[in-house]
Amino acid sequence: MFKVLLILSVGIAIGYGYGWKDAHVHEQHIVERTLDRIGGETRDRMGNDVDGRFKTADGK
C-alpha cells in the first residue's frame, strides 16, 4: 500500500510541476492545445449547426 501511495504522490508532484511550468509559457490549457492539434481542423469542416441541418433537410 505504501508503494502505491508513494508512486501516486510522486506522479502528482511531477504532473503539478509540469502543469505549472506549462501554464506560465502558454496561454491555452494543454488539453485545449492538444484538441486543437488533433481535431481542430476536422471540427471546423464538420457542421454542428442543428438548425442548418434541419433547414437543408426540409428544403427551406
Side-chain angles (χ1 to χ4, degrees), residues 8-30:
L8 282 175
S9 61
V10 168
I12 289 171
I14 291 171
Y16 187 82
Y18 177 77
W20 183 263
K21 289 177 187 175
D22 185 69
H24 281 92
V25 175
H26 299 286
E27 182 79 19
Q28 276 186 318
H29 192 270
I30 189 168

